[in-house]
Amino acid sequence: MATVLVEGDGAIKAVSRWFRAASGKPLEKIAPGTIVFGRFVAEDGQEEEVVVCLRGPERVEVNCHGGRAAAVRILHALTSAGCREMSWHDWVRADSLDPIAAEARIALADAPTLRTAAVLLDQFRGALRLELEETVGLLQSQHTGNAKSEATDRLARLSHRATLGMHLTTPWRVVIAGRPNVGKSSLINALLGYPRSIVYDNPGTTRDVLTARTALDGWPVELVDTAGLGEGSDALEVAGVALARKHLASADLVVLVLDRSGPWSREDQRLVEEFASALRVHNKCDLPLAEPAGRPDGIATSALHGEGVELLAKRISSALVPCAPKPGDAVPFTRRQIDAIDAILALVRDENSPYAALRLRELAVGES
Ligand code: GDP
């Protein structure tokens, strides 16, 4: 379904020019709050079935079929009647006096999971705004010493939550790396709960980069299945390895998969050293453990039978979100907010509290 909102003092007149209610009653005679079924008849005679809702004396909603064609036809008719087209993002910004609430409304449309939506809903209801306003109060306080240090702590806490905030609408990228045939694709399938990439008993099968989105503990995650990090023998494999390294560089987290059933090799050791901060997984734990000497610690999994996969999912989520926000906690979630908070924190540390308070107020309520 698509909704075209028409707003302003000529809203009802503009819609009634094209709208024919099934009841035959003119739109002007229909009480506000009423939902009316009918047809939208454009100048060229083309018709759309629509549901019109009178949201107020100057606000009319035209709900039509979701495909682009119907909405575009209605927009054309309305603009030819003098209406000005506006994106819903711009409308939300213009409609709200509270800039953070407006940004939260926009971000909520892109929240991939209920958990991220809950955090954004808290911000829509004022969690971040309140935190900023309270911090303004601290910066303007006469009891400078303690108040300033509490303001600094609060701003630093907000800045710390920026990574989480930016991922409320964009999934974290978790790259699964390791030598060919250690079970990377199988592990992704096990984490997803359904088969995604091609699993084939032949080293180097996963030459391309495949991605799959899922939620771990309610946090949105894009799992990236890379080509095996071996010394590729053909051009395709070499290209795959190069692409894998590119994805590794931009990963939020690397999961390094090692084969527990094979001997510990120099190549394994090299990968462990190269990806020292990666989450280590020793896969194929259903098979007998090969010579354990030299093998570092890590999570034992069987991608084939599911052992350890739940633990791995938990470890991934707690590596990505080590400290989850509590209900009602303030979390900045747009680049504008995060950049401003960092700049204000620097001002406070530079002993420029009055200007910091001014900028903070501007961020909270959109005025100076
Ligand atoms: P990749 O090249 O690292 O992506 O490895 P694959 O996921 O394609 O797996 C390579 C082979 O190892 C396939 O035959 C899988 O069935 C097998 N395999 C993967 N995980 C396990 C496991 O946990 N246990 C056993 N026994 N075999 C596995």
Side-chain angles (χ1 to χ4, degrees):
M1 203 180 90
T3 300
V4 177
L5 179 71
V6 191
E7 200 175 56
D9 51 11
I12 294 181
K13 204 163 154 241
V15 176
S16 70
R17 179 167 164 196
W18 312 106
F19 177 65
R20 307 285 167 264
S23 65
K25 216 170 172 182
L27 209 51
E28 286 86 348
K29 296 258 160 63
I30 293 168
T34 313
I35 296 169
V36 197
F37 174 72
R39 287 169 299 119
F40 197 94
V41 187
E43 229 158 9
D44 59 6
Q46 297 252 33
E47 291 186 13
E48 290 298 334
E49 283 190 336
V50 294
V51 172
V52 164
C53 183
L54 294 168
R55 303 297 298 257
E58 297 189 353
R59 190 177 275 195
V60 189
E61 256 178 32
V62 182
N63 300 290
C64 62
H65 292 121
R68 276 192 59 77
V72 165
R73 190 171 299 144
I74 289 169
L75 281 172
H76 276 159
L78 289 166
T79 47
S80 74
C83 296
R84 185 170 63 86
E85 192 179 330
M86 197 179 198
S87 75
W88 76 268
H89 288 165
D90 289 341
W91 175 77
V92 166
R93 284 190 204 101
D95 189 54
S96 176
L97 293 174
D98 179 343
I100 295 175
E103 284 169 321
R105 270 175 88 177
I106 292 169
L108 267 163
D110 291 327
T113 65
L114 280 178
R115 193 166 189 183
T116 54
V119 179
L120 287 167
L121 205 54
D122 280 342
Q123 314 318 310
F124 173 71
R125 291 179 176 144
L128 178 59
R129 180 184 161 136
L130 188 68
E131 180 75 11
L132 298 177
E133 284 176 345
E134 284 177 6
T135 311
V136 171
L138 289 168
L139 290 173
Q140 290 172 336
S141 158
Q142 302 305 314
H143 313 285
T144 44
N146 282 349
K148 197 198 130 193
S149 101
E150 196 191 328
T152 312
D153 290 350
R154 283 182 179 226
L155 288 167
R157 200 163 48 230
L158 287 178
S159 171
H160 206 68
R161 290 190 186 138
T163 311
L164 167 73
M166 290 308 285
H167 284 105
L168 295 174
T169 46
T170 315
W172 278 267
R173 277 175 76 77
V174 175
V175 176
I176 315 292
R179 294 169 61 199
N181 230 26
V182 292
K184 297 180 295 300
S185 311
S186 309
L187 212 50
I188 288 188
N189 291 341
L191 283 166
L192 293 174
Y194 62 89
R196 171 68 177 81
S197 42
I198 318 147
V199 177
Y200 185 63
D201 200 358
N202 186 8
T205 304
T206 315
R207 286 186 167 129
D208 226 346
V209 172
L210 293 170
T211 63
R213 289 188 177 193
T214 188
L216 302 178
D217 239 0
W219 302 121
V221 169
E222 183 169 72
L223 298 169
V224 183
D225 188 0
T226 57
L229 292 170
E231 284 102 34
S233 49
D234 65 36
L236 257 178
E237 262 182 59
V238 172
V241 172
L243 199 59
R245 291 201 179 275
K246 198 178 125 227
H247 282 276
L248 282 159
S250 66
D252 293 304
L253 178 71
V254 176
V255 173
L256 180 61
V257 185
L258 304 145
D259 184 346
R260 193 174 169 277
S261 68
W264 187 249
S265 67
R266 282 194 19 225
E267 177 68 3
D268 289 330
Q269 187 58 38
R270 196 190 59 70
L271 287 175
V272 164
E273 284 163 17
E274 182 177 351
F275 300 104
S277 59
L279 209 58
R280 277 190 297 275
V281 173
H282 298 291
N283 191 36
K284 306 195 186 181
C285 74
D286 53 295
L287 297 176
L289 172 65
E291 179 53 46
R295 190 175 284 273
D297 61 357
I299 307 158
T301 60
S302 168
L304 226 50
H305 301 292
E307 283 157 79
V309 174
E310 214 176 300
L311 177 67
L312 172 61
K314 277 246 159 264
R315 290 279 172 81
I316 294 175
S317 96
S318 50
L320 297 173
V321 189
C323 187
K326 293 188 296 301
D329 272 354
V331 178
F333 56 92
T334 66
R335 199 24 66 209
R336 174 189 88 91
Q337 296 162 4
I338 292 161
D339 288 349
I341 286 167
D342 286 341
I344 293 162
L345 184 57
L347 285 172
V348 176
R349 287 182 170 146
D350 278 354
E351 307 289 335
N352 196 347
S353 292
Y355 185 45
L358 197 75
R359 289 219 41 202
L360 208 48
R361 207 180 134 61
E362 205 177 276
L363 176 63
V365 296
E367 61 187 62
S368 46

